[in-house]
């Protein structure tokens, strides 16, 4: 079989996929054991009292089973909300179960902490730390006072709270000193070890272990030191001598007469145990270790309510241990992915034989099929960034972002009838030749700088997010191989792009469009099957973690319906009207009609796929709400929204389908990277090399030169991907902050060059620079409280208004006659004269 028959090749690909389409993803727990553990938590919360119910409720929330918690504790608040210190526990549970009112309960807890005569200050400080709240921010004066005072329980928990939201190595070190200080009381050391157990990035686990093993049996802090050491032992040390000794001592606590010891052991095994520890936890759940007979040890008898607390903690340990299970792609998945990557390389090689000159490479000969080019444009604009971020955005913030697709008809009209006709009048290789014709060389060079900055950052972001969010999670590679994986991803893309040029890009984009849509549809089908129907995953109400639904325009709100419509409209118009990757595809068609058809196909495909990806977000949200056992310890659907789709690919899809969807993500990344390589190489060649090379002569081997140029573009994008990791925010925010910085500023230049007759180069230059400055100020400094999703509209308005004002003054007051209208007329006369001579 050869690439002369690509359809048969992909039929083989599909057959291989179907051959391995069987699910072998086994579960650690049986369904009956899982249900028993969940039912135990429900029973304890409903039938016990006071802090035992608080523990069970928090376990339920943390494990993703919040049903009934909010209602139960609202009733507790009505009946016992004034009892100190139990009221702190009630507020703690309600703050976690009702995010919309969390601040209200946090303020109550803070007031209790600030009450110097209160009886529940210690509980308040501990609760704020457990909830991840920094008392330095809520009550700075009281916090400073406590930390300047004596070292006691209040001191320990207040110090622990000040670590939240920071990366304070000094604070962790201070807790470590408290836990290891033998001159302090047992209670303070125990509480410090308990705080360390709940923190991350503890490297001194061996010191904790050594201190614990040096303590006599019965020492209050011993089990907490062991637990902290066991939980923070690195994976590389598991199985070593120190780790084994810690584990053996922890397991001995299964028969301890003390409730706290059994509970702490269960939590440690749940967080960092092995599958073979499961029977110990099951025996605790089933009360296989009875308490000592009365009189054996003072105050050591485990009361019925204590037994309930132990059973709930054992259930928590069992369900947490299950979440430590790892999943990986099966052989069939790997085969699908490898076949796909091999196909991409083969396509590049095939089309390399079809390119005869530079026009073939950059524009595909100028007579490409408009439907194919439209699909290519869709695949370019809907990169792996969108494929990963749209479902995550839907999970975390709800369907508001999806409402933006309602503005697509207006986008089609504006681009198709106001922008595309302008571009098709001038048959150019680089879109920025248009700017030079109307406004001069300086604006063309500024546009070149904007475009290259935009696309280099865009490609760097694609590499970074595809590798970190998808490839590491799905393929199970260690993070230390991140750079190597990034090089491999870019290397394959460079190879088939630099071989085949735009023809290879468009052909692979068409295939990748099908893979993208197929992956989304398969996800919806699998979730529907798993949950019982096609409608079971559609929320029946607006979920609490989505925040309040708002309709109008508001720059101070992250997202409203009006914001989504405006941002989507501006992004599509600005990208289509200024981006070389879009204009390049318009110019690759034969005429105005086919160019409009190209854009229409792209927009229609975007509509379908964005809608599908929005549904995918709702589907995976419902899936993980229904099956929270697949989330890692500490993960929730809200806190790890961006990771749900990649995780679902592993745990939810059958073998073969997982590989196909993983290939879809690689497809989306390589599709966009290939288009970025081709278009940036085109701009560098036309706008920089040819312009600034004295006595430029076309090389004898033009294709070799443009291929080398694409290679160096890819290397630079790879370098930028390393820097993207320093940008803060969730996946969607990072994309907006980095990728959209230059979208509006670039379109400002085209707007001035096409629609403002009195526009001058100097006025346009100032408008473009001010637009960038505003975009950066909003993105990284949140100037005037404007949210990052308003980068596009605000920077666009500032650029257009300032560019027009400065051009007006430049033309009418300073007498600059070199306006857009004048230069356009001169260019038209020159073109007509040249055509008549020919």
């Amino acid at each position: 079989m050869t690439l002369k028959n690509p359809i048969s090749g992909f039929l083989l690909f599909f057959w291989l996929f179907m051959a391995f389409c069987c699910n072998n993803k086994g579960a650690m727990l049986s369904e009956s054991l899982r249900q028993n553990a969940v039912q135990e938590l429900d029973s304890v919360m409903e039938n016990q009292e006071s802090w035992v119910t608080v523990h069970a409720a928090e376990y339920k929330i943390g494990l993703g089973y919040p049903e009934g918690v909010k209602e139960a504790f609202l009733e507790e608040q009505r009946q016992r909300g004034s009892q100190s210190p139990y009221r702190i526990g009630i507020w703690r549970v309600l703050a976690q179960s009702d995010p919309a009112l969390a601040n209200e309960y946090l303020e109550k807890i803070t007031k209790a902490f600030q009450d110097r005569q209160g009886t529940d200050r210690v509980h308040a400080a501990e609760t704020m730390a457990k909830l991840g709240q920094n008392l330095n921010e809520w009550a700075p004066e009281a916090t400073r006072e406590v930390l300047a005072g004596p070292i006691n329980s209040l001191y320990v928990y207040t110090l622990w709270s000040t670590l939240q939201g920071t990366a304070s190595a000094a604070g962790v070190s201070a807790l470590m000193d408290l836990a290891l200080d033998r001159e302090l009381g047992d209670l303070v050391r125990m509480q410090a070890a308990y705080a360390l157990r709940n923190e991350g990035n503890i490297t001194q686990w061996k010191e904790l272990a050594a201190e614990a093993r040096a303590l006599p049996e019965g020492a209050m802090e011993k089990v907490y030191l062991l637990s902290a050491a066991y939980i923070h032992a690195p994976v590389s040390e598991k199985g070593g001598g120190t780790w084994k000794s810690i584990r053996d001592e922890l397991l001995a606590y299964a028969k301890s007469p003390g409730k706290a010891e059994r509970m702490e052991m269960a939590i440690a095994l749940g967080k960092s145990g092995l599958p073979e520890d499961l029977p110990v936890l099951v025996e605790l759940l089933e009360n296989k270790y009875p308490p000592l007979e009365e009189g054996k040890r003072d105050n050591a008898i485990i009361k019925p309510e204590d037994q309930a607390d132990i059973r709930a903690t054992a259930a928590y340990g069992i369900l947490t241990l299950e979440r430590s299970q790892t999943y990986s792609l099966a052989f069939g998945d790997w085969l699908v992915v490898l076949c796909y990557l091999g196909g991409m390389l083969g396509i590049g090689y095939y089309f390399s034989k079809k390119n005869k000159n530079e026009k073939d490479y950059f524009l595909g000969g100028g007579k490409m099929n408009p439907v194919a080019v439209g699909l290519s444009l869709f695949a370019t604009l809907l990169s792996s960034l969108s494929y990963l971020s749209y479902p995550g955005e839907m999970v975390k913030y709800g369907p508001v972002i999806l409402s933006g697709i309602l503005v697509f008809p207006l986008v089609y009209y504006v681009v198709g009838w106001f922008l595309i006709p302008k571009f098709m009048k001038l048959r150019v290789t680089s879109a920025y030749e248009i700017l030079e014709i109307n406004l001069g060389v300086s604006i063309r060079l500024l546009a070149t700088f904007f475009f290259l900055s935009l696309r280099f950052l865009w490609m760097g972001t694609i590499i970074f997010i595809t590798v970190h969010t998808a490839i590491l999670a799905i393929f199970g590679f260690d993070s230390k191989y991140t750079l190597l994986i990034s090089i491999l991803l870019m290397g394959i893309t460079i190879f088939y792009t630099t071989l085949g040029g735009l023809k290879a890009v468009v052909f692979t984009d068409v295939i990748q469009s099908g893979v993208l849509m197929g992956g989304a549809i398969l996800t919806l089908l699998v979730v529907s099957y798993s949950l019982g129907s096609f409608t079971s995953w559609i929320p029946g109400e607006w979920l609490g973690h989505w925040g309040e639904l708002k309709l109008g325009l508001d720059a101070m709100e992250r997202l409203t319906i009006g914001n989504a419509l405006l941002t989507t409209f501006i992004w599509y118009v600005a990208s289509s009207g200024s981006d070389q990757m879009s204009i390049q595809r318009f110019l690759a068609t034969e005429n105005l009609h086919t160019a409009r058809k190209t854009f229409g196909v792209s927009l229609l495909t975007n509509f379908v796929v964005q809608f599908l990806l929005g549904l995918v977000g709702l589907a995976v949200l419902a899936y993980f709400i229904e099956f929270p056992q697949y989330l890692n310890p500490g993960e929730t659907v809200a806190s790890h929204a961006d990771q749900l789709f990649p995780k679902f690919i592993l745990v939810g899809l059958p073998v073969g389908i997982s590989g196909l969807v993983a290939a879809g993500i690689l497809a989306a990344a390589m599709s966009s990277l290939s288009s970025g390589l081709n278009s940036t190489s085109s701009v560098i060649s036309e706008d920089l090399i040819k312009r600034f090379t004295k006595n430029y002569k076309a090389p004898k081997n033009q294709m070799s030169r443009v291929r080398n140029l694409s290679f160096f573009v890819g290397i630079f994008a790879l370098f930028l991907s390393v820097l993207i990791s320093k940008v803060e925010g969730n996946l969607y925010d990072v994309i907006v902050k980095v990728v959209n910085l230059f979208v509006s500023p670039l379109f400002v230049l085209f707007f001035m060059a096409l629609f403002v007759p009195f526009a001058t180069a100097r006025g346009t230059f100032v408008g473009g620079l001010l637009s960038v400055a505003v975009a950066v100020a909003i993105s990284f400094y949140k100037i005037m409280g404007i949210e990052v999703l308003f980068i596009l509209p605000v920077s666009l308005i500032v650029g257009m208004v300032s560019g027009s004002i400065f051009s007006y003054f430049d033309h009418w007051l300073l007498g600059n006659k070199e306006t857009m209208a004048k230069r356009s007329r001169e260019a038209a006369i020159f073109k007509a004269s040249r055509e008549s001579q020919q």
Side-chain angles (χ1 to χ4, degrees):
M1 183 180 299
T2 68
L3 278 171
K4 292 182 179 179
N5 188 2
I7 294 178
S8 60
F10 277 90
L11 285 176
L12 175 61
F13 176 85
F14 182 76
W15 178 83
L16 289 170
F17 145 67
M18 293 301 296
F20 291 96
C21 189
C22 56
N23 199 338
N24 69 348
K25 300 179 174 86
M28 181 184 295
L29 302 185
S30 66
E31 185 60 30
S32 60
L33 177 56
R34 184 183 303 109
Q35 290 302 319
N36 287 343
V38 174
Q39 290 170 7
E40 185 63 43
L41 293 176
D42 287 333
S43 175
V44 171
M45 187 186 75
E46 294 168 2
N47 300 318
Q48 298 299 319
E49 296 181 349
S50 192
W51 292 100
V52 178
T53 63
V54 169
H55 296 156
E58 288 189 302
Y59 294 154
K60 280 173 59 68
I61 293 171
L63 291 165
Y65 300 100
E67 297 81 4
V69 174
K70 178 181 174 181
E71 295 75 13
F73 274 80
L74 285 174
E75 182 61 29
E76 284 288 280
Q77 181 172 236
R78 281 190 287 271
Q79 294 185 10
R80 306 174 65 186
S82 60
Q83 295 182 12
S84 178
Y86 178 51
R87 61 176 184 164
I88 301 294
I90 295 174
W91 296 337
R92 188 166 84 203
V93 172
L94 288 173
Q96 297 173 79
S97 63
D98 191 357
L101 297 177
N103 281 346
E104 176 183 321
Y105 296 114
L106 291 173
E107 288 172 359
K108 291 176 180 288
I109 298 167
T110 300
K111 288 181 180 179
F113 171 74
Q114 291 172 315
D115 183 0
R116 292 166 176 77
Q117 306 304 319
T119 58
D120 46 18
R121 290 192 79 189
V122 173
H123 291 82
E126 178 190 5
T127 287
M128 291 296 279
K130 282 187 172 182
L131 294 178
Q133 301 299 317
N134 193 326
L135 280 170
N136 259 331
E137 298 174 1
W138 287 88
E141 183 178 343
T143 300
R144 286 193 296 270
E145 180 182 291
V146 170
L147 295 180
I151 296 178
N152 51 27
S153 298
L154 180 61
Y155 178 95
V156 173
Y157 290 136
T158 303
L159 174 63
W160 178 21
S161 171
T162 62
L163 304 184
Q164 308 310 306
T166 69
S168 173
V172 171
S173 178
L175 277 177
M176 185 69 67
D177 291 341
L178 294 177
L180 300 178
D181 190 347
R182 296 185 180 182
E183 296 183 2
L184 296 175
D186 293 351
L187 180 61
V188 168
R189 297 185 70 196
M190 179 200 78
Q191 291 165 337
Y194 172 74
L196 288 170
R197 182 257 277 174
N198 287 281
E199 285 301 301
N201 300 320
I202 307 298
T203 58
Q204 295 172 277
W205 69 281
K206 287 188 176 181
E207 287 88 334
L208 293 171
E211 183 63 24
R213 292 161 65 190
L215 292 172
E217 292 297 327
M220 180 187 299
E221 68 271 33
K222 184 180 180 73
V223 69
Y224 291 93
L225 289 166
L226 286 171
S227 174
Y230 188 70
I231 288 172
H232 292 298
V235 175
S236 59
E237 294 285 350
K238 288 189 174 182
T242 302
W243 181 84
K244 285 181 178 179
S245 64
I246 299 172
R247 181 171 178 268
D248 290 342
E249 291 199 47
L250 276 173
L251 289 173
Y253 282 105
K255 299 180 181 180
S256 169
K259 176 183 84 166
E261 287 89 345
R262 294 190 185 188
M263 291 175 64
E264 190 62 22
M265 180 209 69
I267 289 174
L269 293 183
K271 287 181 177 291
S272 261
L274 303 174
E276 49 264 39
D277 296 329
L278 187 59
V280 177
L281 295 172
V282 173
E283 290 173 344
L284 280 180
L285 177 67
E286 297 174 350
N287 278 334
K288 291 292 181 65
Y289 300 124
L292 295 180
E293 297 178 4
E294 187 171 359
K296 288 284 185 179
R297 180 179 172 186
D298 292 341
N299 300 320
I301 302 302
I302 300 179
K303 302 174 184 177
E305 58 268 28
D306 293 339
Q307 284 283 18
D309 216 357
I310 293 172
R311 291 197 308 272
T313 306
Y316 173 75
I318 290 170
L319 296 172
T320 303
L321 182 61
E322 181 186 30
R323 292 186 172 200
S324 65
Q325 181 175 357
T326 58
Y327 300 88
S328 60
L329 292 178
F331 173 76
D333 297 316
W334 282 103
L335 185 59
V336 169
V337 173
L338 292 175
C339 286
Y340 175 83
L341 295 178
M344 294 301 99
L345 294 174
I347 289 169
Y349 177 77
Y350 173 77
F351 280 106
S352 69
K353 305 300 182 181
K354 301 290 185 179
N355 291 322
K356 298 180 177 59
N357 52 48
E358 207 170 1
K359 185 176 181 181
D360 277 344
Y361 185 85
F362 285 129
L363 296 179
K367 295 182 179 181
M368 299 191 69
N369 184 288
V371 174
V373 177
L375 288 173
S376 171
L377 180 56
F378 145 74
T380 295
L381 297 179
L382 195 75
S383 65
S384 60
L385 302 184
S386 302
Y387 201 60
L388 293 170
S389 65
Y390 261 79
E393 181 73 9
M394 288 286 287
V395 169
K396 189 165 187 176
Y397 294 105
V400 174
I401 190 66
L402 195 59
S403 63
I405 62 178
L406 299 176
V407 82
F408 276 14
L410 181 59
V411 171
Y412 179 66
Y413 175 72
V414 170
V415 175
W417 273 262
F418 288 91
L419 294 177
I420 291 178
K422 299 276 189 181
F423 302 139
M424 299 304 290
K425 287 181 181 179
L426 297 170
R427 285 289 180 171
V428 293
T429 301
S430 169
Y432 307 120
E433 291 178 49
I434 298 171
L435 297 176
E436 181 176 0
I437 291 170
N438 286 358
L439 287 174
V441 176
S442 63
I443 300 304
R444 178 175 180 176
L445 293 178
L446 182 62
T448 301
F449 170 76
F450 284 176
F451 171 78
L452 293 177
S453 299
L454 188 159
R455 284 305 155 200
F456 277 124
L457 289 171
W458 178 71
M459 288 189 286
T461 305
I462 288 174
I463 297 170
F464 171 76
I465 288 180
T466 301
V467 172
H468 282 259
T469 304
I471 294 179
L472 293 182
I474 296 172
F475 293 91
F477 295 121
D478 193 292
S479 59
K480 66 183 179 181
Y481 298 117
T482 297
L483 182 59
L484 180 61
I485 296 168
S486 300
I487 293 172
L488 182 62
L489 177 67
M490 179 56 86
I492 294 173
T493 307
I494 290 172
F495 183 79
Y496 83 76
T497 303
T498 56
L499 276 179
L502 187 63
K503 290 179 182 178
V505 170
V506 170
F507 190 86
T508 54
D509 282 352
V510 172
I511 297 170
Q512 290 158 357
S513 299
V515 174
L516 284 171
M517 290 187 283
I521 292 171
L522 284 171
T523 297
L524 297 180
L525 291 176
V526 171
V527 172
S528 297
Y529 177 79
S530 300
L531 299 184
S533 73
F534 284 100
T535 59
S536 56
W537 45 266
I538 299 176
E541 60 182 0
W542 193 262
L543 302 184
H545 74 266
W546 285 347
E548 183 181 354
L549 175 62
K550 296 183 179 181
L551 300 178
L553 287 169
D554 189 346
M556 307 303 172
E557 288 290 337
R558 185 186 183 278
L559 198 59
T560 68
I561 298 292
N563 292 358
L565 292 172
L566 179 62
T567 300
T568 302
F569 174 77
I570 292 177
W571 189 88
Y572 274 95
V573 170
S575 295
S576 303
S578 65
D579 196 317
Q580 166 72 1
M581 293 203 305
S582 297
I583 299 173
Q584 183 184 36
R585 281 161 176 75
F586 300 149
L587 297 174
T589 61
E590 289 190 83
N591 51 50
L592 175 60
H593 174 73
T594 54
R596 281 179 181 155
K597 187 175 182 179
T598 289
F599 184 66
V601 170
S602 168
L603 209 56
L604 179 61
T605 313
N606 265 289
F607 179 92
V608 172
V609 173
Q610 285 189 38
F611 185 73
L612 282 175
L613 290 178
L615 296 183
V616 165
L618 295 179
V620 297
L621 171 62
Y623 185 87
F624 285 103
I625 288 176
E626 182 68 20
F627 305 110
Q629 64 266 25
Y630 292 121
L631 296 173
N632 291 334
E635 291 184 352
T636 66
V637 293
S639 65
H640 287 71
D642 292 327
Q643 286 76 41
L644 292 192
F645 188 26
K647 183 180 285 288
F648 174 80
I649 293 171
L650 272 182
V651 303
L653 296 179
V655 174
I657 296 181
S658 293
L660 184 63
V661 179
I665 293 176
L666 291 177
M670 292 192 296
S671 165
S672 300
L673 289 173
S674 64
S675 296
L677 288 172
N678 190 275
S679 57
T680 51
S681 299
S682 172
V683 170
I684 292 172
S685 175
E686 293 293 320
D687 291 66
L688 297 180
I689 294 177
K690 290 183 179 180
R691 174 171 296 279
F692 293 105
T693 301
K694 291 184 179 181
N695 302 319
Y696 174 80
K697 293 182 181 180
K700 293 181 179 180
N701 190 344
Q702 293 186 37
M703 295 309 302
S704 176
R705 180 181 65 82
V706 295
R707 286 168 182 162
N708 291 337
L709 187 58
S710 293
F711 175 78
F712 287 111
V713 166
I715 296 299
F716 187 63
L718 189 64
F719 168 75
L720 285 177
S721 71
V722 178
L723 304 180
I724 302 298
S725 61
K726 302 187 182 299
V727 179
E728 296 181 354
N730 70 345
L731 180 55
Y732 198 81
D733 285 348
V734 169
I735 294 170
V736 173
K737 285 181 177 181
V738 176
V739 177
N740 285 353
L741 276 182
F742 291 91
V743 172
S744 285
L746 186 56
F747 183 67
V748 165
L749 306 184
F750 277 86
F751 174 81
M752 299 295 293
L754 297 175
F755 299 106
V756 181
F758 57 84
T760 66
R762 289 182 296 204
T764 302
F765 203 96
V766 172
L769 293 181
L770 287 177
S771 183
V772 172
V774 169
V776 171
I778 296 173
S779 178
F780 298 105
Y781 301 100
K782 209 171 182 180
I783 186 172
M784 298 174 62
I786 299 174
E787 288 289 340
V788 294
L789 294 181
F790 245 73
I791 291 173
L792 288 175
V794 175
S795 61
L796 179 64
I797 292 171
V798 169
M800 291 192 303
V801 171
S802 62
S804 298
I805 291 174
F806 279 102
S807 290
Y808 180 86
F809 281 103
D810 188 32
H811 175 56
W812 295 108
L813 296 183
L814 300 181
N816 186 354
K817 301 300 182 182
E818 288 297 313
T819 63
M820 181 275 282
K822 176 177 179 293
R823 294 179 64 89
S824 181
R825 285 194 303 269
E826 292 174 349
I829 293 171
F830 176 76
K831 180 181 179 182
S833 174
R834 187 172 58 179
E835 290 176 351
S836 64
Q837 292 175 0
Q838 294 176 349

